[in-house]
Amino acid sequence: MKLREVLGEQPSIFLNYSNEKPNTLECHSGGWHNEPNVTWSNQDGYSLPSLFNIFYKDDSGGFSIKSYLSPKPDSSIYSCLVRPDVSSLQDVKSYLYVLNLERTSIDFSSKADGWTVAFGVLLAVILLAAAAFIVKWKKMNDLERTYEPKAASHLQKEIEWRLIHSSAADVILDQETAHSGLLLFDNGKRMRRGKLKDLPENAERFDFWSCAVGKEGFTSGSHYWVVDVTENRSWRLGAVKGSAKRQGNFTMAPQLGYWVLVWNNDHLKALSVQETNLSRRLKLSSVGIYLDYEGRLLSFYNADVGTHVYTFSNMEFTSGEKVFPLFLTLDMEKDLILRAQ
């Protein structure tokens, strides 16, 4: 196997903020032949447990990874090491030097002032060199050492759920493109099936399926919204790409740019390439929908208890193309309600 077929891109590390305070470190690397391994370390060479890792196929057909870490106030230098699943090959590593976790950071991928970056790099190299002489790199996973497997799994799910909630989006239904038989009210936060109305012609309006989309489409980032479906007898929820067909009778399928979860006749299913039937015992009262645009993932959750229901992966759309939240209802008595986060 050739080296270039195995090694991926140099990892990039970013410091994410929430409420103007550091929240998580994110390490991203793409173009790997197989799913790579990732290891976080601090300036003393100690391995640090990832919050969680996400693997997905990128546009070139290779594997990409996003790994997340919670920074510690007693550490200032972090390294993200990504290695192929071939022990004889060279590792690929990147460093991030954090000046002050409560105030600022240097992101080497950004256009920071040259002297500031040079100083940060020099200081990071000096500290790393000193640490290398004092402490041996320890090959251990703190999470596995500290927690029993079940407890570690529970902790990871809890952290992941909190990160999903931090991506809450304010979705408003679009009256201009909604099917003429839909009633939209409450400032675009509720919808119900009603009688057909005479509306101006619009090539982007649904004319067969009783659908509405969000006013704003997403072109990057992660976004989470929740829909209250209590006692609604027939609904479809998910996402649709901007270039997808909207008029006429067609099958809502991933190959047409639709990623949809369906509830009808007390039956839940995902409209995957080959329809996926889900548990008949699973009756949802609220559905959480999470879009990871760069990861090309759309996941559905039981929003009341935080359990995963289904995920569409490898979503196919052009980079930069808008992806819209999608809603459908055939129930003339019970609303679909966009719930505040």
Side-chain angles (χ1 to χ4, degrees):
M1 182 179 293
K2 296 180 180 179
L3 181 62
R4 64 180 177 85
E5 293 178 340
V6 178
L7 288 179
E9 302 169 354
Q10 179 81 11
S12 299
I13 308 178
F14 306 93
L15 183 57
N16 298 320
Y17 281 78
S18 177
N19 297 324
E20 300 184 351
K21 290 187 177 182
N23 186 10
T24 57
L25 292 174
E26 175 184 328
C27 177
H28 176 262
S29 179
W32 293 87
H33 181 73
N34 293 309
E35 289 188 3
N37 299 315
V38 60
T39 302
W40 289 91
S41 301
N42 62 12
Q43 71 266 21
D44 296 322
Y46 286 94
S47 296
L48 301 172
S50 301
L51 294 177
F52 61 92
N53 300 322
I54 299 175
F55 296 94
Y56 56 91
K57 284 286 190 71
D58 53 35
D59 292 337
S60 65
F63 282 92
S64 290
I65 182 173
K66 284 185 178 181
S67 181
Y68 296 88
L69 176 76
S70 178
K72 308 296 182 183
D74 58 348
S75 298
S76 58
I77 301 175
Y78 297 89
S79 69
C80 175
L81 181 149
V82 183
R83 56 158 60 100
D85 195 18
V86 179
S87 58
S88 61
L89 294 177
Q90 183 179 0
D91 301 332
V92 184
K93 183 185 292 187
S94 285
Y95 296 93
L96 180 73
Y97 175 63
V98 181
L99 289 175
N100 189 317
L101 284 179
E102 294 299 324
R103 299 180 61 184
T104 186
S105 70
I106 295 177
D107 179 352
F108 292 159
S109 65
S110 66
K111 298 179 180 178
D113 177 76
W115 284 106
T116 305
V117 173
F119 174 77
V121 172
L122 179 61
L123 185 58
V125 170
I126 293 173
L127 291 173
L128 283 169
F133 283 102
I134 299 172
V135 181
K136 224 177 184 182
W137 287 74
K138 292 187 177 182
K139 303 296 183 181
M140 67 178 64
N141 187 311
D142 288 346
L143 186 61
E144 292 179 354
R145 184 183 64 179
T146 306
Y147 300 98
E148 292 295 328
K150 288 185 178 180
S153 176
H154 176 78
L155 177 63
Q156 178 174 324
K157 289 179 180 179
E158 177 66 22
I159 293 171
E160 183 177 357
W161 189 235
R162 290 184 182 182
L163 286 174
I164 288 172
H165 272 268
S166 71
S167 302
D170 184 20
V171 177
I172 299 174
L173 299 167
D174 183 18
Q175 181 73 63
E176 299 302 315
T177 60
H179 185 272
S180 62
L182 287 177
L183 301 174
L184 274 57
F185 45 98
D186 231 6
N187 296 318
K189 292 293 186 178
R190 303 170 74 102
M191 62 180 271
R192 177 194 307 171
R193 179 66 196 233
K195 295 181 179 180
L196 294 175
K197 304 179 292 292
D198 288 329
L199 296 174
E201 290 188 7
N202 185 342
E204 295 185 357
R205 187 186 302 281
F206 292 90
D207 62 356
F208 178 84
W209 290 109
S210 183
C211 284
V213 296
K215 267 191 176 182
E216 302 296 331
F218 304 119
T219 57
S220 63
S222 299
H223 310 275
Y224 178 70
W225 60 98
V226 176
V227 184
D228 190 331
V229 297
T230 306
E231 296 185 10
N232 187 294
R233 292 168 294 182
S234 183
W235 52 259
R236 298 188 179 195
L237 299 172
V240 57
K241 67 180 182 181
S243 61
K245 178 180 181 180
R246 293 190 181 185
Q247 296 194 329
N249 183 6
F250 55 87
T251 300
M252 293 184 180
Q255 55 267 35
L256 293 182
Y258 284 81
W259 301 275
V260 177
L261 192 71
V262 177
W263 173 261
N264 191 41
N265 296 323
D266 292 331
H267 185 204
L268 187 67
K269 63 182 178 181
L271 298 184
S272 46
V273 176
Q274 294 181 341
E275 290 186 1
T276 303
N277 292 314
L278 302 172
S279 174
R280 286 185 174 273
R281 293 176 296 175
L282 183 59
K283 185 173 183 179
L284 303 173
S285 59
S286 62
V287 182
I289 305 161
Y290 178 71
L291 170 68
D292 179 352
Y293 189 95
E294 284 76 16
R296 308 214 168 198
L297 302 170
L298 186 74
S299 297
F300 297 87
Y301 295 87
N302 182 336
D304 292 330
V305 295
T307 54
H308 176 260
V309 176
Y310 187 81
T311 292
F312 288 96
S313 58
N314 301 322
M315 300 168 69
E316 293 185 5
F317 51 81
T318 305
S319 294
E321 180 177 5
K322 289 184 177 180
V323 175
F324 294 87
L326 177 74
F327 311 85
L328 177 150
T329 181
L330 297 177
D331 197 318
M332 302 182 74
E333 297 179 359
K334 298 297 181 179
D335 301 337
L336 293 184
I337 306 170
L338 278 159
R339 202 164 77 185
Q341 299 299 295

